[in-house]
Amino acid sequence: MYRGRFAPTPSGRLHLGSLLSAAGAYLRALQAGGSCLLRLEDLDRPRCKVEYAGSIIADLKTLGFAFAPEILIQSSDLSPYAATVEALIKTGKAYVCACSRRQIRERPCTCRQLNLPYKRGRAIRLDCHDAPRDFYDERLGSIHVPLIPDSLILKRSDGVYSYNLACVTDDLRQGVTEVVRGSDLIASTPLQIYLYQLLGKKPPQFLHLPLITSKGGGKLSKQNHAAPVLDSYRPTEAILLTLKLLGQDTQGLTHLSPAEIWPVVAQRFDLDAIAHNDIELDD
Ligand code: GLU
């Protein structure tokens, strides 16, 4: 049974780029007759705000999405992430690192050889020399990621579990069969596949969507203050624009409610119509 997910970070309100990812993930799940889960990736507490989480959930509802009823909020229970770190330590590939970010930039880290004990203020890293460089994308085909870092952070020195660690932990325990997300995460995918390999688990399928860039380039994101999508567009307008950006046929949709639009589009959802490159927004 197909299980997809949309996993926003509540560091701002829903913008057009996140709506595009939500639409892609949701339409794939509807088309496959499966379900789509909603997960709030809020482990990086300084970046995330409870009110953004609430507004993302409310905006998605206004936009007619019907995600599976149980929403996973990562910060509500950290024990699954601790368990994955433990499992990775057992593989012998994870190690405690006492270097600051600056030291990591300036000279090679030798902590792997030192076998340091874990204590507050130290990070846990994973040796990535054996990580794969290639993976298959359901839309783009074979992808080669030439630059893989020497190591991957599992738990930061401030105690925060990393995105890659938490994402794999949750995609696994939620039984996700396909990950649909923006192309900005392509470089993370081989690293995540490596985590599945080390954990002895089968990775899900991966499908990356184009990014929306503002005129003159630059990814639209919460960091560069892309406007909350429902501040700029009415719900139906926002959906139709998103579908157009995804190259989909929008005929016969204008008089439907947001919730009615998605099943109609899912029937005729055409993966091949989605652009291979980033999409530049006109205004
Ligand atoms: N939380 C990430 C973001 O908002 C997405 C992670 C994912 O889909 O794997 O960009």
Side-chain angles (χ1 to χ4, degrees):
M1 180 72 156
Y2 184 105
R3 261 166 105 81
R5 68 4 168 230
F6 173 52
T9 299
S11 56
R13 285 187 53 200
L14 193 78
H15 61 80
L16 195 58
S18 354
L19 175 55
L20 189 113
S21 295
Y26 192 70
L27 288 168
R28 278 290 276 183
L30 277 192
Q31 191 176 44
S35 56
C36 192
L37 307 158
L38 177 60
R39 178 166 86 225
L40 294 176
E41 301 203 321
D42 64 342
L43 291 182
D44 193 352
R45 301 307 286 169
R47 276 182 65 211
C48 301
K49 286 207 180 106
V50 179
E51 51 268 39
Y52 290 143
S55 74
I56 288 176
I57 294 171
D59 287 355
L60 290 169
K61 202 164 168 218
T62 305
L63 290 159
F65 291 98
F67 290 100
E70 71 288 357
I71 300 173
L72 195 152
I73 300 176
Q74 290 187 325
S75 63
S76 65
D77 179 13
L78 301 182
S79 61
Y81 313 117
T84 308
V85 170
E86 279 309 309
L88 289 168
I89 287 174
K90 287 204 181 97
T91 66
K93 296 276 184 190
Y95 58 93
V96 174
C97 172
C99 300
S100 65
R101 272 187 219 200
R102 194 167 145 208
Q103 286 170 324
I104 292 271
R105 273 199 308 271
E106 288 175 355
R107 50 138 181 82
C109 162
T110 53
C111 293
R112 173 105 209 252
Q113 287 82 52
L114 299 177
N115 242 326
L116 297 168
Y118 181 71
K119 61 177 179 190
R120 258 192 113 73
R122 288 183 173 170
I124 303 182
R125 289 183 170 270
L126 185 84
D127 188 311
C128 288
H129 287 95
D130 296 332
R133 263 78 179 148
D134 300 278
F135 71 94
Y136 185 78
D137 183 282
E138 297 300 315
R139 189 174 81 83
L140 302 167
S142 297
I143 304 261
H144 179 68
V145 180
L147 278 181
I148 296 282
D150 292 343
S151 72
L152 175 69
I153 288 265
L154 300 177
K155 191 177 182 181
R156 296 187 337 205
S157 58
D158 61 2
V160 174
Y161 292 101
S162 74
Y163 155 66
N164 287 300
L165 184 277
C167 179
V168 168
T169 301
D170 289 339
D171 284 336
L172 258 176
R173 69 186 171 126
Q174 295 193 285
V176 168
T177 59
E178 184 175 79
V179 168
V180 178
R181 60 187 173 200
S183 300
D184 51 332
L185 290 164
I186 281 184
S188 290
T189 300
L191 300 169
Q192 294 187 4
I193 291 174
Y194 188 46
L195 294 184
Y196 286 97
Q197 287 174 358
L198 291 174
L199 296 166
K201 305 284 185 193
K202 184 172 170 275
Q205 295 183 358
F206 292 94
L207 192 161
H208 293 88
L209 296 168
L211 300 181
I212 303 178
T213 59
S214 44
K215 227 185 171 112
K219 181 197 159 194
L220 214 67
S221 75
K222 283 161 255 179
Q223 281 72 33
N224 62 25
H225 306 295
V229 68
L230 289 180
D231 280 1
S232 312
Y233 305 97
R234 284 194 297 271
T236 309
E237 260 174 18
I239 297 170
L240 295 181
L241 171 61
T242 304
L243 293 171
K244 282 194 188 122
L245 293 172
L246 285 170
Q248 304 300 306
D249 177 4
T250 55
Q251 270 184 36
L253 303 177
T254 18
H255 301 296
L256 300 180
S257 71
E260 288 165 343
I261 292 179
W262 299 112
V264 175
V265 179
Q267 295 281 326
R268 60 191 193 206
F269 184 52
D270 180 4
L271 211 52
D272 294 331
I274 305 175
H276 271 227
N277 298 328
D278 291 352
I279 306 163
E280 192 177 286
L281 210 57
D282 286 338
D283 45 72

